[in-house]
Amino acid sequence: MAKYSQDQRITISGALTLPGPLGSKPIPAIQQSNNDQYTYRIGAEYSGWSWPVRFGFIYQSIMENSDFVNPATFAPGNNMSVTLGTGHKVMDALTIDGGLAYSSDTASIGSGVVSKAGSYSSKDLALHLGATYAF
């Protein structure tokens, strides 16, 4: 569990210097009002072949308060990720690994204090490659 509810605002120290006679203005704190987030994970590996098959699934609960959603930072909503990968020892000291990860975060919200009504989503597809050399 991530206790995001403990961080209700992001305080920025310093000031914004404006040109000419406008001078400098303090930077206001950014209101958060987030909820705690829960993460659930499951993973498995089938090693019956020389190239094992690895699978993972992650679900994260919504942390944003719908009245204070800031879609500029991330899409408000429940998040899920699916991973699929494999690896193989190609020499005594060299192992290669690869994986594919897909993540999705989608929500529809009404107007709140700082949020605008609408549908928000973010999707991510990533390829991970790695090599390990044991010496």
Side-chain angles (χ1 to χ4, degrees), residues 27 40 62 68 72 124 132:
I27 301 172
Y40 305 94
I62 188 168
F68 291 93
D124 179 72
T132 305

Side-chain angles (χ1 to χ4, degrees), residues 88-97 129-135:
H88 186 69
K89 191 172 195 172
V90 293
M91 296 182 341
D92 285 338
L94 181 63
T95 303
I96 59 171
D97 290 290
L129 299 173
T132 305
Y133 184 77
F135 52 94

Side-chain angles (χ1 to χ4, degrees), residues 48-102:
W49 299 316
S50 62
W51 290 78
V53 177
R54 301 175 186 136
F55 169 81
F57 180 78
I58 301 170
Y59 174 84
Q60 291 180 309
S61 66
I62 188 168
M63 63 174 252
E64 299 85 5
N65 178 330
S66 61
D67 288 336
F68 291 93
V69 170
N70 183 1
T73 54
F74 45 85
N78 296 316
N79 178 289
M80 71 102 194
S81 296
V82 178
T83 61
L84 184 64
T86 190
H88 186 69
K89 191 172 195 172
V90 293
M91 296 182 341
D92 285 338
L94 181 63
T95 303
I96 59 171
D97 290 290
L100 189 63
Y102 172 77

Side-chain angles (χ1 to χ4, degrees), residues 5-18:
S5 63
Q6 293 178 350
D7 300 320
Q8 293 301 313
R9 71 175 60 162
I10 299 173
T11 303
I12 303 171
S13 62
L16 177 63
T17 304
L18 302 171

